[in-house]
Amino acid sequence: MATLEEFLRTNGIQTATFQVLFGEGAETMYYLSTDGESAIELWRKLRGLVLESGYWPVVLGGREELDRHLESLAGNTETSTEAILESSRSIDGEEWLRYTYENIYDSDEDEEDSYPRGQWPSDSKPDDRFTIPYKGEWIASEQRMEYEPLPVVYVALVPTRVSWQVPAYLKAGGWNYCPVPEEHCAVLRYWEDGYGAEIVGMSFDTFELQVARPPESRESALELAQEQFAYCPDIVEQGVETIEALAATLLNGRVWLFWWD
């Protein structure tokens, strides 16, 4: 039986940078490196091989992000991947999101916060760009982000054919307001079933997903935006500012981005 490296090479993937990322035995993860401009193209090629290879590709980012992942993995060896996956199966992602949204603000505070609602924006467009393989710089004079490809980007190969299981292998989250790995798995399983959402990139604090079936009406986009606000408040409170503004980017949007401060 061909090794993973041999399989990739046979299928036209350059393997000169192929290395072990972390783990052992059946849970061993590997990585390849490429330049930022080519990272998503490489991801798409590897995604097309998942059923045969048994490995889900994940764009991790540059060297700093790779090191942060390695540090996190080394510090989270007490709980097994299988235990996280088993725990995630007991969580209903839709119910978790609903409960979290309803309780995101503490009603016992002296001055109760209100949900960040607003008018539907007139100039918003769907998200369609992946950012993890790039370095972003805010151009204040033009009120826009400018992206430059990173010179080296690492693409992990995680031993699962199922996108939503990836956070369990990478032991992602569990700090500040970032959900713990089993919560990530449950929510992503729910969104994969409902929207065909699949993980493309995971830096240490940012997830990016591609979406096969995005919402096609304002009503459904608003419902999804409330769920995404519950999952990741920072994308609203430190980002687009209102749930309506987030919904406008989700309407027919093929790329979802989440980041936790």
Side-chain angles (χ1 to χ4, degrees):
M1 184 176 181
T3 66
L4 176 60
E5 183 176 3
E6 290 168 342
F7 171 81
L8 294 175
R9 190 162 52 244
T10 299
N11 283 275
I13 305 297
Q14 296 294 321
T15 59
T17 61
F18 183 87
Q19 293 188 51
V20 172
L21 173 65
F22 196 83
E24 57 185 20
E27 291 193 11
T28 303
M29 294 179 282
Y30 302 90
Y31 72 79
L32 299 162
S33 61
T34 185
D35 60 273
E37 196 67 52
S38 305
I40 299 302
E41 179 184 1
L42 175 58
W43 182 89
R44 296 194 189 284
K45 289 179 180 178
L46 294 167
R47 171 65 183 90
L49 298 173
V50 164
L51 291 180
E52 294 177 81
S53 72
Y55 286 78
W56 191 273
V58 186
V59 180
L60 301 180
R63 183 72 222 189
E64 181 180 352
E65 295 300 331
L66 177 66
D67 289 343
R68 294 179 76 186
H69 275 296
L70 289 171
E71 182 180 355
S72 176
L73 286 164
N76 289 277
T77 57
E78 293 184 2
T79 305
S80 70
T81 299
E82 187 51 47
I84 294 171
L85 291 174
E86 186 62 28
S87 177
S88 77
R89 293 184 181 101
S90 69
I91 302 172
D92 184 310
E94 183 178 15
E95 288 297 325
W96 186 91
L97 289 166
R98 182 181 295 113
Y99 176 85
T100 303
Y101 181 80
E102 291 172 353
N103 294 275
I104 200 166
Y105 290 121
D106 186 352
S107 60
D108 293 332
E109 293 289 335
D110 291 336
E111 184 175 336
E112 186 176 350
D113 290 303
S114 60
Y115 289 88
R117 305 305 300 259
Q119 297 297 315
W120 190 276
S122 59
D123 58 352
S124 187
K125 297 185 295 184
D127 284 333
D128 61 0
R129 180 187 184 122
F130 296 102
T131 64
I132 289 177
Y134 298 85
K135 179 180 179 180
E137 181 180 355
W138 178 248
I139 308 300
S141 60
E142 301 177 22
Q143 293 293 292
R144 65 176 181 87
M145 289 290 293
E146 185 172 279
Y147 293 95
E148 179 180 349
L150 293 169
V152 179
V153 169
Y154 299 90
V155 181
L157 290 158
V158 179
T160 178
R161 294 180 174 87
V162 184
S163 170
W164 62 262
Q165 295 184 355
V166 169
Y169 285 89
L170 289 177
K171 308 296 192 295
W175 47 272
N176 292 351
Y177 289 102
C178 188
V180 295
E182 53 264 42
E183 292 168 341
H184 282 304
C185 289
V187 170
L188 295 177
R189 181 177 66 239
Y190 163 61
W191 282 336
E192 185 172 330
D193 290 343
Y195 298 96
E198 298 180 339
I199 291 173
V200 173
M202 287 177 57
S203 69
F204 181 75
D205 57 8
T206 300
F207 292 8
E208 291 188 317
L209 282 63
Q210 73 170 12
V211 185
R213 301 182 298 276
E216 297 180 343
S217 70
R218 287 192 178 188
E219 181 181 7
S220 58
L222 277 169
E223 291 175 358
L224 175 61
Q226 290 178 8
E227 292 182 342
Q228 292 199 359
F229 175 62
Y231 179 60
C232 182
D234 286 346
I235 58 174
V236 174
E237 294 179 335
Q238 299 185 54
V240 295
E241 298 185 345
T242 70
I243 290 172
E244 281 73 13
L246 175 60
T249 70
L250 300 175
L251 183 62
N252 297 310
R254 298 284 178 174
V255 176
W256 294 353
L257 179 147
F258 305 99
W259 57 271
W260 293 266
D261 195 359

